């Protein structure tokens, strides 16, 4: 009996790894993880002091008591009441906005400009190539017409 060999799990895994998107995604994840340290430093070193000029440098301390009276235990957890910790949400939002801005202005925008320049150069080369081809074609047509005219005038003279 002949049995058809179905692709194994290993073959499927190799095919998955050979896709270009997997490598791009892996690079993006690694760079994103390294980039997190930079963003956290900007938030701690720049954003928190700016907010601290108005209130406190620790955004996590901003909260509101939804159902009171609210009391905090020594470890910082809420022991009584319902506390909304909106400062931590604000800090996470600021980190996200800063991350998105830095990625856009330092990575996406320059890459888009670079790709646009490359595309413009490619189109310019193709345009020049087409002009050269059209010019050569026109010259060849003129030569052909000239030869046909010479032959035609040569036959009538005999």
């Amino acid at each position: 009996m002949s049995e058809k060999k179905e692709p194994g799990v290993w073959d499927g895994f190799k095919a998955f790894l050979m896709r270009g998107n997997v490598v791009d995604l892996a690079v993006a994840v690694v760079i994103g993880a390294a980039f997190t340290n930079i963003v956290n430093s900007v938030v701690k070193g720049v954003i928190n002091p700016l907010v601290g000029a108005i209130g406190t440098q620790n955004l996590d301390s901003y909260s509101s008591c939804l159902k009171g009276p609210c009391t905090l235990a020594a470890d910082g957890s809420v022991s009584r009441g319902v506390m909304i910790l909106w400062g931590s949400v604000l800090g996470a939002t600021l980190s996200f906005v800063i991350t998105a801005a830095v990625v856009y202005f330092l990575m996406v925008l320059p890459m888009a400009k670079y790709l646009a320049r490359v595309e413009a150069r490619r189109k310019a080369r193709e345009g020049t190539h087409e002009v050269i081809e059209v010019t050569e074609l026109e010259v060849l047509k003129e030569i052909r017409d000239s030869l046909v005219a010479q032959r035609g005038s040569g036959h009538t003279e005999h």
Side-chain angles (χ1 to χ4, degrees):
M1 287 200 256
S2 66
E3 230 179 272
K4 274 188 176 179
K5 185 179 178 192
E6 291 185 26
V9 174
W10 184 250
D11 293 331
F13 182 67
K14 286 194 312 188
F16 172 73
L17 288 180
M18 292 302 161
R19 289 183 188 164
N21 302 8
V22 174
V23 174
D24 292 341
L25 183 60
V27 169
V29 168
V30 170
I31 288 176
F35 194 69
T36 301
N37 291 333
I38 295 170
V39 172
N40 288 339
S41 296
V42 169
V43 169
K44 284 182 181 177
V46 177
I47 301 300
N48 285 353
L50 289 175
V51 173
I54 299 168
T56 178
Q57 286 189 6
N58 185 4
L59 293 177
D60 293 339
S61 67
Y62 288 113
S63 61
S64 298
C65 187
L66 186 63
K67 184 177 180 183
C70 294
T71 56
L72 295 176
D75 63 353
S77 64
V78 179
S79 61
R80 217 169 92 197
V82 177
M83 184 81 71
I84 302 294
L85 304 172
W86 58 271
S88 59
V89 175
L90 178 64
T93 303
L94 285 173
S95 293
F96 172 77
V97 169
I98 291 168
T99 303
V102 170
V103 166
Y104 180 76
F105 289 113
L106 295 183
M107 297 170 90
V108 173
L109 196 60
M111 183 58 81
K113 287 182 180 182
Y114 170 74
L115 291 176
R117 271 189 262 130
V118 167
E119 183 66 18
R121 283 188 206 131
R122 186 187 64 79
K123 284 185 179 181
R125 277 194 309 256
E126 285 180 2
T128 304
H129 186 63
E130 288 173 12
V131 169
I132 290 170
E133 285 179 3
V134 169
T135 306
E136 288 175 2
L137 183 60
E138 288 174 357
V139 169
L140 289 173
K141 284 181 182 178
E142 288 177 14
I143 293 171
R144 180 200 63 199
D145 294 342
S146 169
L147 289 172
V148 168
Q150 284 177 359
R151 267 192 228 154
S153 64
H155 288 293
T156 57
E157 290 177 7
H158 291 289

